[in-house]
Amino acid sequence: VQLQASGGGLVQAGGSLRLSCVASGLTLGSYVMAWFRQAPGKEREFVGYINHSGGSTYYSASVKGRFTISKDNAKNTGYLHMNSLKPEDTAVYYCATRGLSLASARAMASGGNYPYWGQGTLVTVSS
């Protein structure tokens, strides 16, 4: 299984960016995809996830209303659409997958519950 994240870059505050995560070795339609991020000197932070069908999403409070997660199961690709970006959104963004949704949102927000990870893509938001 491989996850290939891309789309990061430098953007001004208030701008938008779309990250992609292409999955190989699995059928994304049977997997949950989550996004996490890690800012310099900080712990990894949960961003949000989308369920296997793409019909349900959940976001952290810090990005809710600004970020949207989607997936195209036919292309085996997930997306993180980021709007109204802030300097504090600067981080390396990672996609991750797991096979089944867990009962609690807290469990779904724990990176330890995701066996497959992409390599990360850097997003830098300038003020």
Side-chain angles (χ1 to χ4, degrees):
V1 174
Q2 285 191 328
L3 301 177
Q4 183 70 40
S6 63
L10 175 64
V11 62
Q12 288 189 331
S16 299
L17 209 57
R18 187 187 76 167
L19 306 184
S20 300
C21 180
V22 180
S24 59
L26 57 80
T27 300
L28 194 56
S30 298
Y31 283 75
V32 172
M33 177 170 280
W35 290 87
F36 292 80
R37 66 185 182 184
Q38 187 166 21
K42 295 188 176 181
E43 293 187 353
R44 184 174 60 197
E45 176 190 14
F46 169 76
V47 174
Y49 75 86
I50 187 166
N51 74 343
H52 64 287
S53 69
S56 178
T57 54
Y58 180 85
Y59 301 95
S60 68
S62 61
V63 306
K64 191 173 184 179
R66 299 188 298 122
F67 291 12
T68 302
I69 297 173
S70 64
K71 61 189 323 212
D72 185 336
N73 288 331
K75 294 183 178 180
N76 243 28
T77 302
Y79 304 97
L80 177 63
H81 309 261
M82 304 183 293
N83 297 318
S84 302
L85 283 161
K86 306 174 181 179
E88 51 264 43
D89 294 319
T90 294
V92 177
Y93 283 73
Y94 300 89
C95 55
T97 64
R98 60 167 289 113
L100 296 173
S101 295
L102 298 172
S104 74
R106 182 176 181 178
M108 291 298 292
S110 173
N113 288 323
Y114 292 83
Y116 306 116
W117 290 79
Q119 85 287 2
T121 184
L122 176 63
V123 173
T124 303
V125 184
S126 63
S127 57

